[in-house]
Amino acid sequence: MLLVAIATLLIVSLKLIHAGKAAYYYVVKNGPTKDEYYVGRSDSNKKGIAGYWDGKGLSALDLKEGQPIYLNSPEFKALMNGRHPLTLEQLRQGKARVYTNPKTGREKVYEVVAGIDMVTSAPKWVSTFWAISGPEERKKIERAHALANTEALKLLQEEYAQTRTGKGGYRKEQLNLIIGQFTHITNRSGESQLHTHNPILSVGVRADGKYGALHTRKILRKGVSLKLGQYYR
């Protein structure tokens, strides 16, 4: 009954991850950059493992699904900066640009998109129950959460993972995703909150083996997070 209850109440949110420090939405004053938030902590205390790799695009990078991402992983940091995790080859195109309003003179910085953070969260009561449970019950809760998280990612890959090619990006192709999974059992305030960050990199792998840019707008459209949440349940 416990596993069924958890699987009916999980929540999904989707937000852009920007490459510039000023746009990292998890940063606090004097705090870590976005990639350090992911790989600079470990709630699992499993030999320095911060998370795990996921996604169909990993094989092109000599990485494997389920392979650990260790604390302060240089491979993850390289990918967050648009580079190959081993060769450091630049994979992501584009640079941050500044737009100056000709009327007001005000400047607006458009940061490069590093990816999308898909966060799957358990409701507060589940997180509280996890906190007061014994080791065996905790494992059951964690397994249910991990299974639902994985199934939602599969739906995202199958229905929303695309890249735009051709003149003007008119043609759309399937894109194999590169994803990290980082499960935390507390939020930034130290309160119990079972949730998984799934940073989906803005660079993926096309069917022809070449790298392509993730069509982020398709994923961020209204109703997608709701559909993923329904599937997740």
Side-chain angles (χ1 to χ4, degrees), residues 215-232:
H215 183 25
T216 56
R217 289 185 180 181
K218 181 176 178 65
I219 295 175
L220 295 173
R221 286 174 181 166
K222 184 177 180 180
V224 174
S225 60
L226 179 61
K227 183 173 181 180
L228 292 172
Q230 291 172 340
Y231 187 81
Y232 193 49

Side-chain angles (χ1 to χ4, degrees), residues 185-205:
I185 48 86
T186 59
N187 59 24
R188 291 183 64 88
S189 300
E191 301 169 330
S192 294
Q193 183 185 5
L194 177 61
H195 63 287
T196 299
H197 289 272
N198 301 279
I200 302 161
L201 278 296
S202 62
V203 175
V205 182

Side-chain angles (χ1 to χ4, degrees), residues 103-125:
K103 295 182 178 180
T104 65
R106 293 181 179 178
E107 293 185 346
K108 183 174 181 179
V109 178
Y110 290 88
E111 298 284 355
V112 175
V113 173
I116 294 177
D117 190 3
M118 173 177 150
V119 183
T120 55
S121 303
K124 183 64 178 178
W125 72 266

Side-chain angles (χ1 to χ4, degrees), residues 124-214:
K124 183 64 178 178
W125 72 266
V126 173
S127 297
T128 301
F129 187 77
W130 181 96
I132 63 174
S133 296
E136 291 305 314
E137 285 299 324
R138 285 187 176 186
K139 289 179 181 179
K140 291 179 182 179
I141 296 171
E142 291 168 7
R143 282 197 297 267
H145 176 82
L147 177 61
N149 182 76
T150 298
E151 290 302 312
L153 284 174
K154 286 181 180 178
L155 178 66
L156 185 75
Q157 170 68 72
E158 292 169 2
E159 294 198 11
Y160 301 101
Q162 291 184 344
T163 186
R164 300 172 67 178
T165 61
K167 187 176 180 179
Y170 177 77
R171 188 169 64 252
K172 297 180 178 64
E173 297 180 17
Q174 186 75 13
L175 189 71
N176 293 325
L177 300 176
I178 302 166
I179 309 166
Q181 289 190 22
F182 302 89
T183 298
H184 299 156
I185 48 86
T186 59
N187 59 24
R188 291 183 64 88
S189 300
E191 301 169 330
S192 294
Q193 183 185 5
L194 177 61
H195 63 287
T196 299
H197 289 272
N198 301 279
I200 302 161
L201 278 296
S202 62
V203 175
V205 182
R206 299 179 347 203
D208 61 6
K210 296 181 179 180
Y211 299 106
L214 177 65

Side-chain angles (χ1 to χ4, degrees), residues 34-52:
K34 184 69 174 179
D35 60 340
E36 289 170 339
Y37 174 73
Y38 292 130
V39 299
R41 61 184 289 192
S42 174
D43 287 340
S44 62
N45 294 317
K46 296 178 180 178
K47 299 180 180 180
I49 296 175
Y52 297 90

Side-chain angles (χ1 to χ4, degrees), residues 92-107:
R92 186 175 65 219
Q93 304 299 316
K95 298 180 180 179
R97 58 188 178 89
V98 179
Y99 169 76
T100 303
N101 189 308
K103 295 182 178 180
T104 65
R106 293 181 179 178
E107 293 185 346

